[in-house]
């Protein structure tokens, strides 16, 4: 079933145009995995010598492709990425592992690579066997068609309940040479740390060793994909892969071996930006979402406590439905702080909506004007600040509101 | 605002008739706390010598009445219980503590008791000061009107978004003498361990010392009020109090000092029954609920792991919306098992809906007939079993589905 929900009201005004990135080519096709009348398979082909890093779901029941990628990551080298939508190939037992093997074999043959350098991700329904024979013939054609400028087609082929393709790009210099980081993501529900994305694939032409890439990626997800939540539900398939083609070496970019290399400073900021941009797009396409919500907690005992409290707020159905109803119901924020399990002192707590303080020192702020806040709650982007007043721990997370449309979308996904 | 949602389709066919319980009298009135045209205050008056035990929210930001009751519990004696609906007197700072003190003073004067033997609970909106002066005059009248048979009026006065009053009663014998346990509860949303109830008050005429009562109550809540969830949100006000009037002593019931007393065996079972009955009624009145869901996890590493997994399933928005949509989406059960953080082995996991096994040993059960399960999902009571196949830990929890009505009710509660 291709989901036909209307475009999210939070969708970016325009899809960013992603220029070719040296060393990677894309193609999208229709393998008939589940959907009719749309593409459902994407192949990315990397030039020889590309390195790879990855972060995956923390689910104790990961999908067969996640098992496969984790094992392949040890080599640090990648030649191709195969992604299908419509079937997650999760909870499919031995059949699932076999399907991944066969997919890798077909992709390896199509791209002239070893199957150990094939990375695979699947998204869609859980528990139904994936017939990998459907890729036979299709991938060969895609390998021939692959082009450096097919980013948008690739991003569209990996969508499930997404209402818009998600793309982002940034530039940085390493040793005076300009490099690019560009990525795509899909995901709209079952989004929660850790990993939030469902699927995201990021590419750079910078020449960076796999170990350094991994260190940077593991750090960068903390403030982006691991700081977003749509519904607190964690997929069995969440996968974020970062590929470095190294093609910028031809233009004089130095080969980087260590994540601590100072020449990476700008690159790290650009990577953070790309990941945060993509993560925000995932939230903005949250199933049924009409409002984008930023929750910042300060003054907590530790940064970890701050994040746990922020997520308790961002995941609370009562907070999320209040925001959907444009109700500045700060009592529910207090509830969510209280249930987080982290230390809080009622008489030191302060809460702001859109910069207006509504509660202070254990009670309603006497200066707070309900009319002002009522206007703020009508906005499409809602900013909530909570200060606990007991320490220096701070964290920001992002979520969306919980609407009747979320229930409608998820109440008949399979039917 | 009195919520005017239609009667829950899961409501019991008839409200149980609660006979008088020797040693306690009830009265309900309208103090105009928030609602118009309905009662909003309940007074229970206990005969001299009643003992009391209590269990409260684990919120780090509890309401002023919770602070008050916790402190009063140390005495172990109770003379009266005052409950209001419409205002939770939570996050009201010093004003809140003052309001509780004034309420206790008025109730003490009306009942001829020391204010240290007055127990207080409030439910409703958080963060708005409660004007306790509204109880002045009202409680005196209620004290005069209080009758042993006014259980239903009392249960109605403590309702907020509840669509039906919640009452339960059981009998047991202690040393050959029949005693009664009867209780009431309110709560429909913001229901999650620990405590799930929002408010519940249970009374017995058995003569039991406060310490023994407390031991039994703390144990009994684990399988009842601490095993239900509507929306994973924990109120700042959750309060469960158990009062023993001791009046059965006149009929020859022995005074019980210790919870380990063997003569309590039947009483303990009856107490479990009353609490579970009330807890189930709370779930059946879950905001917007149309289905009652029992989740049993077996074969987990420990009982604690089993409960955590069961709650992960019961709290998952994707599982709950699938049930609302009558979709046997066991993939989402796998997802919820996986995200719980507890040990699970994909290839040993089995899942049943209404007794039909849909998944086994890491994949879809080949024998499972979608038509059978489709019929099962149309039922009003859905039973989900999950066996992890790795240990002997087991737990059962109860929840309801997540519907558009939940969002509607909570999106405009204050407006």
């Amino acid at each position: 079933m291709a989901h036909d929900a209307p475009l999210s009201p939070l969708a970016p005004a325009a899809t960013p145009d992603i220029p070719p990135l040296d060393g990677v080519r894309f193609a999208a096709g229709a393998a008939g995995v589940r959907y009719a009348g749309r593409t459902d398979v994407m192949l990315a082909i990397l030039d020889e010598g590309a390195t790879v890093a990855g972060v995956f779901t923390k689910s104790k029941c990961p999908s067969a492709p996640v098992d496969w990628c984790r094992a392949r990551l040890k080599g640090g080298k990648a030649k191709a990425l195969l992604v299908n939508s419509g079937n997650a190939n999760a909870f499919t037992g031995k059949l699932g592992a076999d399907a991944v093997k066969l997919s890798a074999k077909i992709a390896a043959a199509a791209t002239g690579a070893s199957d150990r350098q094939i990375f695979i991700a699947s998204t869609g329904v859980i528990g139904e066997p994936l017939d990998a024979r459907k890729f036979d013939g299709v991938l060969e054609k895609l390998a021939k068609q692959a082009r450096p400028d097919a980013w948008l087609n690739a991003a569209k082929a990996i969508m499930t309940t997404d209402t818009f393709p998600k793309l982002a790009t940034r530039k940085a210099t390493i040793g005076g040479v300009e490099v690019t980081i560009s990525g795509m993501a899909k995901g709209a529900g079952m989004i929660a740390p850790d990993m939030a994305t469902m699927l995201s694939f990021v590419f750079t032409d910078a020449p960076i060793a796999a170990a350094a890439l991994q260190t940077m990626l593991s750090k960068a997800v903390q403030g982006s994909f691991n700081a977003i939540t749509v519904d607190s539900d964690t997929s069995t398939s969440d996968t974020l892969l970062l590929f470095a083609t190294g093609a910028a070496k031809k233009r004089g970019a130095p080969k980087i071996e260590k994540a601590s290399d100072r020449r990476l400073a700008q690159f790290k900021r650009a990577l953070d930006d790309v990941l945060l941009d993509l993560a925000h797009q995932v939230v903005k396409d949250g199933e049924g979402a009409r409002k984008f919500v930023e929750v910042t907690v300060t003054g907590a005992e530790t940064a970890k406590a701050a994040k746990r409290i922020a997520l308790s707020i961002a995941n609370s159905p009562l907070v999320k439905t209040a925001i959907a109803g444009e109700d500045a119901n700060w009592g529910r924020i207090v509830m969510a702080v209280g249930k987080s399990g982290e230390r809080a002192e009622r008489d030191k707590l302060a809460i702001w909506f859109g910069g207006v303080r509504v509660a202070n020192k254990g009670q309603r702020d006497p200066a707070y004007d309900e009319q002002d806040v009522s206007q703020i709650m009508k906005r499409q982007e809602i900013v909530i600040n909570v200060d606990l007043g007991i320490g220096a721990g701070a964290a920001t997370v992002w979520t969306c509101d919980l609407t009747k449309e979320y229930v409608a979308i998820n109440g008949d996904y399979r039917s």
Side-chain angles (χ1 to χ4, degrees), chain A:
Chain A
M1 182 201 74
H3 195 83
D4 54 358
L7 179 67
S8 167
L10 303 173
T15 305
D17 192 32
I18 311 294
L21 188 141
D22 205 4
V24 62
R25 293 168 296 133
F26 299 94
V33 172
R34 180 180 189 86
Y35 307 124
R38 58 158 278 186
T39 56
D40 60 2
V41 57
M42 178 273 266
L43 188 68
I45 304 178
L46 296 144
D47 285 356
E48 197 60 38
T51 57
V52 59
V55 185
F56 304 92
T57 179
K58 286 192 178 160
S59 171
K60 303 287 179 179
C61 303
S63 68
V66 167
D67 285 347
W68 172 271
C69 286
R70 276 209 177 97
R72 295 294 85 72
L73 215 52
K74 284 161 195 149
K77 298 275 179 200
K79 184 70 181 86
L81 165 69
L82 168 64
V83 187
N84 75 274
S85 55
N87 186 317
N89 192 17
F91 212 63
T92 41
K94 193 178 170 308
L95 289 177
D98 290 346
V100 174
K101 267 183 219 158
L102 180 56
S103 306
K105 201 177 151 194
I106 298 169
T111 57
S114 151
D115 60 5
R116 285 175 306 168
Q117 294 191 26
I118 307 293
F119 285 76
I120 294 179
S122 298
T123 176
V125 169
I126 296 177
E128 293 188 10
L130 171 69
D131 184 0
R133 289 171 304 182
K134 290 186 174 173
F135 299 134
D136 209 358
V138 175
L139 299 191
E140 276 171 49
K141 261 187 237 163
L142 294 188
K144 282 177 197 142
Q145 292 166 2
R147 285 163 35 170
D149 61 354
W151 283 85
L152 182 58
N153 288 344
K156 281 182 175 171
I158 66 173
M159 286 165 56
T160 55
T161 58
D162 303 65
T163 73
F164 61 88
K166 296 164 187 69
L167 291 158
T169 184
R170 296 289 188 282
K171 295 210 177 286
T173 60
I174 298 183
V177 177
E178 189 178 76
V179 299
T180 304
I181 306 172
S182 300
M184 65 186 71
K186 66 77 51 184
M190 212 185 273
I191 301 296
D194 305 283
M195 289 284 304
T197 174
M198 297 202 70
L199 303 183
S200 181
F201 311 107
V202 180
F203 301 84
T204 179
D205 52 359
I208 302 177
L213 265 192
Q214 185 65 50
T215 303
M216 281 191 289
L217 183 64
S218 297
K219 188 159 179 230
V221 294
Q222 295 311 323
S224 54
F225 282 114
N226 284 353
I228 63 170
T229 180
V230 166
D231 53 16
S232 81
D233 277 343
T234 306
S235 155
T236 54
S237 307
D238 294 329
T239 299
L240 165 60
L241 294 169
L242 170 59
F243 300 93
T245 70
K249 207 161 52 178
K250 293 181 289 187
R251 294 185 284 106
K255 176 92 203 267
I256 305 285
E257 297 291 341
K258 289 191 171 167
S260 57
D261 195 312
R262 288 188 182 180
R263 291 171 294 182
L264 286 174
Q266 228 187 78
F267 182 89
K268 286 176 181 170
R269 280 196 298 276
L271 179 61
D272 284 346
D273 275 3
V274 167
L275 296 185
L276 192 60
D277 188 337
L278 291 172
H280 282 185
Q281 289 187 54
V282 169
V283 172
K284 286 178 176 173
D285 207 7
E287 288 168 342
R290 284 180 304 197
K291 290 179 191 286
F292 181 69
V293 185
E294 178 177 293
V295 180
T296 296
V297 171
T298 53
E301 218 167 7
T302 62
K304 203 175 158 191
K307 192 159 181 184
R308 204 168 150 202
I309 292 167
L311 284 171
S312 178
I313 296 167
N315 278 325
S316 159
L318 288 172
V319 170
K320 291 159 80 83
T321 48
I323 291 167
E326 305 192 332
D327 176 10
N329 194 323
W330 57 269
R332 294 182 184 176
I333 306 281
V334 178
M335 175 281 297
V337 171
K339 80 166 180 169
S340 72
E342 294 295 339
R343 192 160 82 84
E345 288 177 32
R346 190 176 51 199
D347 297 349
K348 289 184 176 169
L349 202 56
I351 299 168
W352 293 256
F353 280 100
V356 176
R357 193 171 67 189
V358 294
N360 192 29
K361 294 186 183 169
Q363 62 193 67
R364 181 194 162 103
D365 191 324
Y368 132 60
D369 176 352
E370 189 118 18
Q371 287 302 103
D372 290 354
V373 176
S374 170
Q375 283 307 110
I376 284 166
M377 297 309 289
K378 293 198 199 318
R379 294 181 191 159
Q380 217 169 40
E381 307 217 346
I382 306 289
V383 177
I384 299 171
N385 286 76
V386 175
D387 189 79
L388 297 175
I390 58 172
T396 298
V397 305
W398 294 271
T399 190
C400 56
D401 55 346
L402 171 58
T403 65
K404 290 178 203 173
E405 287 69 31
Y406 176 88
V407 178
I409 292 166
N410 287 297
D412 57 22
Y413 179 72
R414 291 209 323 172
S415 56

